[in-house]
Amino acid sequence: MESPSGHMRSIKLWPPSHSTRLLLVDRIVKSFTTPSILSRKYGLLSKEEAEEEAKHIESAGFLAATEHFENDPETDGGSAVQVYAKESSRLMVEFIKTAPKPKEDRETVPLEVIASSDHVFDISGGRRAFIEAEEAKELLKPLKEPGNKFTKICFSNRSFGLPAAHVAASILSGVKDRLTEVDLSDIVSRRPEPEAVEVMRMFSTALEGCKLECLNLSNNVLNEKGVRAFGDLLRSQGDLVELYLANAGITPEAAKAVCVLIPSTSKLKVLHFHRNKTGDEGAIAISQLVKGSPDLEDFRCSSTRVGSVGGVALAEALKTCTRVRKLDLRDNMFGPKPGVALSGNLTTYANLIEIYLSHLNLENEGVIAIANALKTSGSTLEIIEMAGNNVTFEATKALADCIVSKKHSLTKINLSENELKDKGAIVIGKALEDEFRQLCIVDLSANGIKTDGAMSLAKGVAGKLGFRLLNINRNLLSYNGIEGVREIFKSCPRMLGPLDENDPHGEDGGDRSNELESKLKDLEVKQN
C-alpha cells in the first residue's frame, strides 16, 4: 500500500484550495489599498472597491489557469499555478491603471456609447472612467436628437463630476417624460462626499416626476445624505416595479429615509438591499417597504448585518408577499427565531423557485422548521441553499424529506459548512438515490464527513442524467476513501469536485499547501 506521504505528493497542485483562493483575494485587496509607487500615480481604492475588483480578478485568473491545466491535465498543476499568479498580476496592473483616479491626477479617457438600441441608451460597458463636461456633451448627444425613442438609460460605471453632471441633468430633464427604466448605479465613484452628494441631487432634480418602473441606485455611497439627495426623484416614484439599492452604504438612518421618501411600493416585484450596513433597526424600516409590496417576487436582503430582531421583523413582513419566487437572506446574524418565523410563510409560497438561507446561524431548530414548511408547500423549488447554519445530524431527516419532496424540480442543493458528519451524509445520500429529474449540483463540503458518508453521497448522485458536480471537499476522507469515491466517478470524473483538502487527521494539508503557497507568495503589482 502506498504511504500517506506518497499520496500527498501525488495530489495535484491544481486546482488550489478555497482558502488559497481567498488568500489571493486578500493580497490583491492589500495591493489596491496600500500606498506604493503606483498608488502615488494612480490613486488608492477604498476597501469596498478593492474587495469587489479583487474577486473579479481572482476569478478571471482562476479560469485562465484552469483552461491551461485542462490542456495538460497529466502535470502536477505547477504551471497552472504560475498562470494563475501571472494572469492575476497582469489584471491587477491593468485595472489600477484604468480605474478612475483622483481628480487632481487623472487624464482624459475617451468614451463612447457602448450599447444602444431604439429604446435603450447604455454607456456602462468597458472600463470604469471619470467623465468630463465636453465628453458628456458628445456622449449624450443621441438623447437630444429629435424623434429618438429611448425609454431606458444606463449611466452606470461612469463617474460624474459637477460639470459633467450639469450637462447630463439638462439633457435628462428633456427626456424624462418617456423614461421607464433608469440605472444610475456607480455614478460617483471616488468622488469627495460633498461633490458626490451634489451630483446625485442634480440627477434627482432633473428626473423628478418621471414615471419609472425600474430604478437602480446601487454602488453609490448613499448613506442618509445620499438617499435624501435623491429625494426629489424618490418622492415622485409611486409605480416602481424594480428597486435596487445594493452595496450602497444603506445605514439604519438611510433605510428609514428610503421608506419615508418613496410614496408607494404597491406594484414592486423586485427589491434588492444586498451588502449594506442596515442592521436590525434598518431591517425594521425595510420591513415596512416589504409589507407594502404584496406583489413582491424577488427579495434580496443579504449581507446587511441583520440580527434576530430585524430578521423576525422581515419574516413577519414577508407574510404579505405570497407571490415570492426568489428569496435571498444570506449572510446575516439571524439565529433560530427568524428561521422559525419565516417557516410560517413558506407553506404559502406556491411560486417559490430559489431560496438562499446560508450563513444565518439558523441551527437545527430554524432549519427543521424551514425544511418541514418547504416539504408541505406546493412550490417547484429549484435551488435550496442552507450552508453555514450549524446544522447537525438531528436536522437531516427533515432536510432529506424536504429534498425528496422536491425531487422533480431541484437543480442545486447546498448544505456546505455544517456539521452533518457521516451519519447525516448517509441520510442525505440515501435520499438522493431517488429519481431526481433536474439535479445538477450537490455541495456538502466542510461537514466533517468521512469515507462512509462520502461513498453514500457519491452513489446517490453518480449516473444521474444531467448531473454536473458533487462537492465533498474539506471533509475527513481517508486516502482509500478518496480513491473509492473517484472509482465511483471513473466514467464521469468531471462530475466530482476537487478533493485536495480532505484530511483524515484533521490537519491543514501539509506539504501540498505549503508548496502551492510558495508559488503564489511573490504575487505583486509590478509596474512593468
Side-chain angles (χ1 to χ4, degrees):
M1 180 182 292
E2 189 174 358
S3 68
S5 60
H7 275 281
M8 293 301 293
R9 285 195 298 270
S10 68
I11 297 177
K12 295 183 178 181
L13 294 173
W14 193 262
S17 68
H18 179 68
S19 58
T20 299
R21 293 186 66 181
L22 290 179
L23 182 62
L24 181 56
V25 171
D26 288 341
R27 285 180 172 171
I28 296 173
V29 170
K30 186 176 180 180
S31 295
F32 284 159
T33 57
T34 303
S36 65
I37 294 175
L38 279 178
S39 73
R40 287 197 291 271
K41 181 176 181 181
Y42 297 104
L44 286 173
L45 272 65
S46 70
K47 187 175 181 182
E48 284 191 350
E49 288 178 312
E51 287 176 346
E52 182 179 358
E53 191 59 36
K55 290 175 183 177
H56 291 312
I57 288 172
E58 187 280 331
S59 180
F62 179 81
L63 289 174
T66 298
E67 183 177 351
H68 173 86
F69 178 71
E70 287 177 349
N71 289 331
D72 191 12
E74 299 305 317
T75 67
D76 69 352
S79 61
V81 174
Q82 294 295 335
V83 171
Y84 183 45
K86 288 179 181 178
E87 180 66 7
S88 297
S89 184
R90 182 188 70 79
L91 291 171
M92 289 161 67
V93 174
E94 181 179 299
F95 173 77
I96 206 167
K97 287 185 175 183
T98 58
K101 299 180 281 296
K103 185 175 181 180
E104 66 275 9
D105 209 24
R106 64 181 183 263
E107 300 171 0
T108 299
V109 180
L111 301 171
E112 59 182 350
V113 178
I114 304 301
S116 65
S117 67
D118 285 348
H119 299 282
V120 181
F121 183 84
D122 186 351
I123 61 171
S124 66
R127 57 197 177 110
R128 300 169 77 204
F130 280 88
I131 180 170
E132 304 296 344
E134 289 303 314
E135 295 170 305
K137 288 180 183 178
E138 186 64 27
L139 188 65
L140 305 182
K141 190 182 294 183
L143 289 173
K144 297 178 67 177
E145 293 176 357
N148 79 75
K149 300 178 181 178
F150 296 122
T151 59
K152 305 175 183 180
I153 62 168
C154 179
F155 285 2
S156 180
N157 210 32
R158 298 290 178 249
S159 184
F160 287 80
L162 290 175
H166 180 75
V167 171
S170 65
I171 293 174
L172 287 176
S173 62
V175 299
K176 67 179 181 180
D177 290 342
R178 62 173 177 271
L179 294 179
T180 60
E181 296 186 19
V182 169
D183 185 344
L184 299 179
S185 60
D186 196 20
I187 60 166
V188 288
S189 174
R190 303 181 78 184
R191 301 284 181 180
E193 184 183 274
E195 182 180 22
V197 169
E198 182 60 19
V199 167
M200 291 186 282
R201 188 195 65 76
M202 292 170 69
F203 276 100
S204 173
T205 301
L207 292 167
E208 181 185 6
C210 60
K211 303 300 182 183
L212 299 180
E213 294 178 2
C214 177
L215 177 62
N216 190 345
L217 301 179
S218 300
N219 299 308
N220 293 305
V221 183
L222 294 180
N223 55 54
E224 186 180 7
K225 287 182 182 179
V227 169
R228 294 197 179 279
F230 277 116
D232 290 343
L233 174 59
L234 292 173
R235 270 189 292 265
S236 61
Q237 301 310 308
D239 297 316
L240 283 174
V241 177
E242 300 180 25
L243 176 61
Y244 300 90
L245 292 167
N247 192 30
I250 300 293
T251 59
E253 295 73 23
K256 292 175 185 177
V258 171
C259 296
V260 169
L261 290 169
I262 297 179
S264 173
T265 56
S266 61
K267 297 182 180 179
L268 205 62
K269 293 185 178 180
V270 180
L271 179 59
H272 282 199
F273 271 94
H274 168 66
R275 199 179 176 189
N276 284 302
K277 305 173 183 178
T278 313
D280 277 349
E281 193 177 349
I284 292 171
I286 292 169
S287 69
Q288 299 307 307
L289 283 184
V290 175
K291 277 184 183 178
S293 309
D295 291 341
L296 197 62
E297 296 179 359
D298 180 351
F299 179 55
R300 186 178 190 188
C301 192
S302 52
S303 301
T304 48
R305 306 182 185 180
V306 179
S308 182
V309 173
V312 170
L314 289 172
E316 290 296 320
L318 283 163
K319 286 182 179 179
T320 64
C321 308
T322 57
R323 299 182 182 180
V324 169
R325 294 171 59 83
K326 181 177 178 180
L327 181 62
D328 187 348
L329 302 172
R330 282 175 287 189
D331 191 22
N332 283 299
M333 302 170 284
F334 280 11
K337 286 185 179 179
V340 174
L342 183 64
S343 69
N345 308 338
L346 297 178
T347 56
T348 66
Y349 289 177
N351 300 319
L352 188 65
I353 294 176
E354 301 176 22
I355 187 165
Y356 302 90
L357 302 175
S358 295
H359 302 288
L360 293 174
N361 196 33
L362 296 175
E363 301 181 0
N364 288 335
E365 182 184 0
V367 168
I368 290 172
I370 288 169
N372 286 337
L374 288 172
K375 180 181 67 174
T376 59
S377 75
S379 65
T380 53
L381 194 65
E382 295 178 5
I383 296 175
I384 180 170
E385 291 198 6
M386 288 200 280
N389 277 303
N390 299 318
V391 183
T392 69
F393 171 72
E394 182 184 337
T396 49
K397 184 182 186 306
L399 284 169
D401 290 346
C402 171
I403 289 168
V404 172
S405 74
K406 306 300 177 185
K407 63 184 179 181
H408 298 308
S409 57
L410 272 176
T411 63
K412 180 179 179 180
I413 301 166
N414 183 358
L415 300 173
S416 64
E417 299 180 64
N418 283 302
E419 300 172 26
L420 300 183
K421 302 190 183 301
D422 253 16
K423 288 173 66 179
I426 290 170
V427 171
I428 300 297
K430 290 291 184 183
L432 292 174
E433 291 178 5
D434 212 318
E435 185 180 352
F436 285 76
R437 298 176 180 176
Q438 310 291 335
L439 193 60
C440 297
I441 298 171
V442 172
D443 189 344
L444 269 84
S445 57
N447 264 284
I449 299 170
K450 296 183 179 180
T451 297
D452 289 345
M455 295 288 282
S456 178
L457 290 168
K459 291 174 182 177
V461 298
K464 289 191 182 300
L465 187 64
F467 190 79
R468 294 206 310 266
L469 180 67
L470 172 65
N471 184 4
I472 49 174
N473 208 6
R474 294 187 290 154
N475 281 303
L476 306 176
L477 277 68
S478 67
Y479 302 116
N480 288 336
I482 290 175
E483 293 306 315
V485 170
R486 285 177 174 161
E487 179 65 21
I488 293 173
F489 283 90
K490 66 180 179 180
S491 62
C492 48
R494 289 180 181 270
M495 293 183 185
L496 179 63
L499 297 170
D500 55 303
E501 287 190 273
N502 275 288
D503 184 1
H505 306 298
E507 297 172 353
D508 62 2
D511 295 340
R512 177 197 177 277
S513 179
N514 292 336
E515 183 177 352
L516 194 152
E517 173 66 16
S518 69
K519 290 179 179 291
L520 291 174
K521 68 181 179 180
D522 295 326
L523 178 71
E524 58 181 309
V525 179
K526 297 181 180 179
Q527 192 155 359
N528 296 320

